[in-house]
Amino acid sequence: MTLPVLQFVRRGQTVTLRNVPPERTLLEVLREDMGCTGTKEGCAEGDCGACTVVIGEAVATPAGETLRYSAINSCIRLAHSVNGLALWTVEDLARDPLIARDTPASIHPAQAAMVHCHGSQCGFCTPGFVMSLFGMYQNRVCQGQSITREQAQHDLSGNLCRCTGYRPILDAAQQMEQLPRAQVDEAAVLEQLQRLGAPAPAAAAYLAPRTLAELLAARAAHPQAQIVAGGTDVGLWVTKQLREFGQVLDVTRVAELRQIDDQGEHLSIGAAATLTQAFAALQALWPQLDEFAARFAGLPVRNAGTLGGNVANGSPIGDSMPLLIALRARIVLASQRGERRMPIEDFYTGYRQNQLAADEVLARIEVPKPRAGELLRVYKVSKRTDDDISAVCLAIQLTLQDGEVQAASIGVGGVAATPVRARATEAVLAGAAWNETSVTQAADTLRHEFQPLSDMRASGDYRRALLAHLLERYWLESQGPGSTLATLIPLAQAAAVQKAPV
C-alpha cells in the first residue's frame, strides 16, 4: 500500500519525508528520523508534556487568513497528521528565520523568561514548558493580551514538573511580555503553507479526505482502516500496546466535521472539532462549565483531541459523555446510505462497543440549547485536580418550576461499562417537589442504581456513596444564597440564548 509523502513547514523551509509508516508518531519522526532530540519522551501517553511542540494551521477569519497555534503532545500524535501544517520544536525558537525580533537576541522570550526566573532545574521537562509558553506567547502576548496567573496555570496544565516547582515557571509566563518582542512572520508562513497539502493517493496507507463526501466514500471502500481524529487515545495504542495499522483514515481534515454551527434550537458540533473548540462553544451557553472544561485533561490534549473522538471511543470514564447525556444531546451517524440520529446514551452497546456500522462515521453532535428554569451542574472527582482521569463524573440537569422538578436528565461516568443515564433516579425526581425529602429519596436511588467496580482510582462502595453525596451537593447548591437565582436561566435570557450566534 502506498505511503504518502509527509510535508510540513519548519524554520522557513519545507520538510519532506518519505516512507513514514501510518502509525509512526511525530515524536519518533522528530527524535529518530530528524535528530531533533530537544523534544523529550517522558510518559508516552500525553500526560507529562515533555514532548510538547506547537503546530500552526491556516484558518479563515472575517479579517482574512491567519495562523492558529496549538501546543500538542508529539508522543501520541501520528506524524502524518501534521502534513500541510507548520511545526515548531524547542530547537526552532532561536533559529527560525521567520520569527521576527525587536533585538538580535539569540533566544526567544519564552526561553529567556525561564532563565531569568530560574524556571529549570533538572531540565527534562523544560523543553515542553518552553513550547507551551511559546504557544501562550503567540496566542496571548502577540495579540496584545497580558497573561494573568490564572491564564498561565490554565495554559500550562498539561506540563508536569517534579523538581523546580511551578512558581518560577508561572513567573516566567507572566514575564514574557516584558522582554523584547519576537513574533512569527505569519504572512511568510501562510505563503509557504499554501504550497503544501496535496491530497494523498486514494490507495494510500494514510487517508486524509477533505470533504464529507470523500470521507464517506473512503469509509465505504476501506472499512478496515483505523479511524483517527486527534490521536489522544489511538496514540496510546501505538506507544503502550505497540499496535500497527495497515491503513489509517484521518477525519480531522474534513471541513464539515470541523464546523460548529448555531442551528436555532440546538448547537451542532462537528465530530472533528477539537475539545478546546467544542468546550468554548458550550461554555458560551453554559458559563458554569468553565472549571469542568479546564479540568478535562491538559491543554495539549484538548488542543488535539476531538469531541467526536471522545464520544466514539466510548470510554466509561470519558468526561464529555455524562455532560452530553445530561444535556440530552443526540449524535448523527453518516454513511453513503444516509444519516441516522440517536440519543448519545443509546449509542453504546457494551464496553467500548457501539452501534457504528462498518461504513459509518460519527459526523456531529447536536446539543439542545439552554431553556428557562434549567439548572446544570457537572462534578468531576479525581485524585488530582488537573490532568487526571475521573473516579466519578456526574452531570445533572433539572428543570425547576414553582418548587417542582419538571424534567430531570442525569449522566454518569465511571460506574458502568459505558457512560450511562441514571433513568431510575430521573424517574424519582420527575414531577416531585424539589425539597430535602425528594432529594434524599433520589440520592438513595442513585446510590443503588449502578454496581461500579473497584479499581486503583476508587472502590465500588466509594463510587456509590459519592453519587449520593454529589446529588445532595447539587441540592445544597440550588438552595444556597443566590445560587439558584444566579444559575437558573431567566426567561428573557433564555429567549436571547435561543438566538445567540456561536
Side-chain angles (χ1 to χ4, degrees):
M1 193 172 289
T2 307
L3 288 172
V5 174
L6 170 58
Q7 289 188 315
F8 53 88
V9 172
R10 181 172 181 251
R11 295 188 192 175
Q13 302 292 325
T14 297
V15 176
T16 301
L17 301 173
R18 292 178 171 82
N19 299 318
V20 178
E23 71 277 358
R24 194 156 178 79
T25 67
L26 179 57
L27 181 62
E28 289 174 323
V29 166
L30 289 173
R31 289 183 61 86
E32 299 173 13
D33 300 345
M34 300 177 62
C36 300
T37 54
T39 305
K40 307 302 182 185
E41 180 175 27
C43 64
E45 58 187 34
D47 281 341
C48 74
C51 68
T52 303
V53 297
V54 171
I55 56 173
E57 181 180 9
V59 294
T61 70
E65 197 172 46
T66 186
L67 278 179
R68 178 166 58 210
Y69 303 88
S70 302
I72 62 165
N73 299 116
S74 63
C75 69
I76 54 174
R77 182 83 174 211
L78 298 187
H80 281 286
S81 70
V82 303
N83 184 62
L85 305 182
L87 175 70
W88 289 271
T89 72
V90 70
E91 294 99 336
D92 303 329
L93 301 192
R95 302 175 184 174
D96 189 346
L98 297 187
I99 296 181
R101 307 171 190 277
D102 286 349
T103 62
S106 61
I107 57 177
H108 188 274
Q111 298 166 307
M114 286 285 280
V115 173
H116 295 166
C117 297
H118 306 285
S120 177
Q121 192 163 323
C122 83
F124 192 85
C125 68
T126 303
F129 272 104
V130 165
M131 292 313 297
S132 286
L133 289 172
F134 171 67
M136 194 187 315
Y137 188 87
Q138 286 297 137
N139 288 325
R140 298 189 187 277
V141 176
C142 291
Q143 307 305 316
Q145 303 174 21
S146 292
I147 296 173
T148 66
R149 203 72 166 183
E150 183 180 10
Q151 288 170 338
Q153 290 176 312
H154 175 274
D155 287 8
L156 295 173
S157 61
N159 295 87
L160 302 182
C161 175
R162 288 292 181 253
C163 54
T164 304
Y166 296 98
R167 182 196 54 77
I169 299 173
L170 296 173
D171 289 343
Q174 293 187 277
Q175 191 188 94
M176 290 190 298
E177 62 183 292
Q178 303 168 20
L179 300 175
R181 188 87 161 205
Q183 186 169 355
V184 173
D185 184 346
E186 293 194 357
V189 176
L190 287 168
E191 183 179 352
Q192 290 185 316
L193 290 178
Q194 290 175 355
R195 305 170 189 166
L196 303 181
Y206 196 98
L207 299 170
R210 305 300 180 97
T211 68
L212 181 58
E214 291 176 358
L215 172 62
L216 299 182
R219 178 66 167 152
H222 308 282
Q224 82 290 345
Q226 175 61 53
I227 296 179
V228 171
T232 53
D233 193 60
V234 171
L236 272 71
W237 301 354
V238 174
T239 61
K240 300 300 183 182
Q241 301 176 16
L242 305 181
R243 291 197 201 179
E244 296 181 356
F245 305 127
Q247 190 174 40
V248 167
L249 179 57
D250 186 338
V251 304
T252 59
R253 303 303 176 93
V254 178
E256 295 93 327
L257 266 61
R258 303 181 68 178
Q259 295 175 349
I260 300 178
D261 298 318
D262 184 340
Q263 297 294 331
E265 293 188 353
H266 71 263
L267 187 67
S268 176
I269 302 176
T274 67
L275 290 163
T276 297
Q277 296 161 348
F279 275 123
L282 292 172
Q283 289 166 252
L285 297 178
W286 291 276
Q288 64 267 40
L289 293 177
D290 286 358
E291 180 181 352
F292 174 75
R295 292 188 60 199
F296 191 113
L299 182 61
V301 169
R302 296 196 299 273
N303 282 342
T306 65
L307 186 62
N310 198 237
V311 170
N313 183 42
S315 169
I317 49 176
D319 286 338
S320 72
M321 290 81 84
L323 169 63
L324 294 172
I325 290 172
L327 292 175
R328 304 182 185 92
R330 298 171 66 85
I331 61 171
V332 179
L333 307 180
S335 70
Q336 291 185 314
R337 296 177 285 109
E339 293 184 344
R340 56 184 180 130
R341 289 171 171 79
M342 66 184 67
I344 185 172
E345 62 269 21
D346 294 344
F347 179 55
Y348 305 108
T349 59
Y351 179 70
R352 293 183 182 267
Q353 297 178 334
N354 56 52
Q355 295 198 46
L356 195 68
D359 64 340
E360 285 182 317
V361 297
L362 174 57
R364 59 188 179 275
I365 299 100
E366 297 177 343
V367 185
K369 292 166 72 173
R371 298 180 179 179
E374 291 180 343
L375 175 59
L376 173 69
R377 285 285 189 272
V378 189
Y379 304 104
K380 174 186 171 90
V381 178
S382 56
K383 290 187 175 182
R384 295 195 308 267
T385 299
D386 291 321
D387 202 13
D388 199 6
I389 294 172
S390 297
V392 166
C393 182
L394 178 65
I396 307 171
Q397 179 168 266
L398 302 186
T399 302
L400 305 176
Q401 184 176 349
D402 299 326
E404 184 176 289
V405 180
Q406 299 294 314
S409 185
I410 303 173
V412 194
V415 299
T418 68
V420 288
R421 186 169 182 175
R423 298 184 185 276
T425 306
E426 291 175 0
V428 170
L429 287 170
W434 185 234
N435 56 36
E436 191 169 357
T437 299
S438 63
V439 170
T440 300
Q441 182 182 358
D444 185 65
T445 301
L446 186 56
R447 183 194 301 269
H448 295 95
E449 188 164 355
F450 307 104
Q451 299 299 316
L453 297 174
S454 296
D455 59 20
M456 67 180 71
R457 297 183 185 92
S459 68
D461 288 341
Y462 174 78
R463 286 184 163 107
R464 284 190 292 271
L466 192 58
L467 290 176
H469 293 319
L470 288 175
L471 179 55
E472 291 166 354
R473 174 179 171 178
Y474 177 97
W475 151 255
L476 292 172
E477 288 179 353
S478 77
Q479 302 303 301
S483 66
T484 301
L485 295 176
T487 309
L488 286 174
I489 301 174
L491 288 171
Q493 181 183 342
V497 165
Q498 292 296 322
K499 302 175 182 179
V502 177

